[in-house]
Amino acid sequence: MTRMIIPSTFLRRALLLDAVSCAALGLLMAVCAAPLGWWFHLPLPLLRESGLVLLAFAAVLGWACTRPQLPRLLVLGIVAGNALWAIDSVLLLLPAWIAPNGLGASFILVQAIATALIAELEYVGLKRSATAAMA
């Protein structure tokens, strides 16, 4: 049986922050991949496809923000997905993967740190959420 939670206000706000930031960054990366690729020396397919993934993730997060109850595993999956995104972003900077310029490396690191912080906020919000009563 799926364990449901009643999201705390803190969790709802963290999910909303995640949704808005994913939508904004995803739209920027998907629509402006060419100029961003030129400025940051990043591959266009990486930027465009990452942007599309972020837009899809933003839609899921937006939906989750509106639910009166959520599966605990869904929230843990969101936290884990954000943590993996942050880790993979840093690993992407290892030699032989991509070769961004300093501005591109900074862009990747800043969004990785922001994503890790949002994952932490969501985890704290999950711990503050109440377990839903079993019907």
Side-chain angles (χ1 to χ4, degrees), residues 12 19 57-71 74 78:
R12 285 190 189 284
F57 194 54
V60 170
L61 292 164
W63 172 85
C65 290
T66 65
R67 304 294 99 194
Q69 294 183 5
L70 288 170
L74 174 64
I78 291 168

Side-chain angles (χ1 to χ4, degrees), residues 34-101:
L36 290 175
W38 184 79
W39 289 331
F40 299 151
H41 294 183
L42 292 171
L44 267 56
L46 173 69
L47 288 165
R48 189 165 287 122
E49 291 167 18
S50 295
L52 294 174
V53 167
L54 286 173
L55 289 171
F57 194 54
V60 170
L61 292 164
W63 172 85
C65 290
T66 65
R67 304 294 99 194
Q69 294 183 5
L70 288 170
R72 185 174 190 280
L73 284 177
L74 174 64
V75 178
L76 285 172
I78 291 168
V79 171
N82 279 329
L84 286 173
W85 183 280
I87 292 166
D88 285 349
S89 295
V90 173
L91 292 176
L92 191 62
L93 295 174
L94 292 176
W97 283 73
I98 60 172
N101 60 16

Side-chain angles (χ1 to χ4, degrees), residues 1-5 69-74 129-132 134:
M1 176 171 252
T2 302
R3 191 164 150 208
M4 301 294 283
I5 61 159
Q69 294 183 5
L70 288 170
R72 185 174 190 280
L73 284 177
L74 174 64
S129 297
T131 302
M134 303 292 274

Side-chain angles (χ1 to χ4, degrees), residues 82-83 85-87 89-90 93 105-121:
N82 279 329
W85 183 280
I87 292 166
S89 295
V90 173
L93 295 174
S106 297
F107 173 75
I108 291 171
L109 286 175
V110 167
Q111 64 84 31
I113 292 167
T115 302
L117 290 173
I118 289 172
E120 177 65 23
L121 291 173

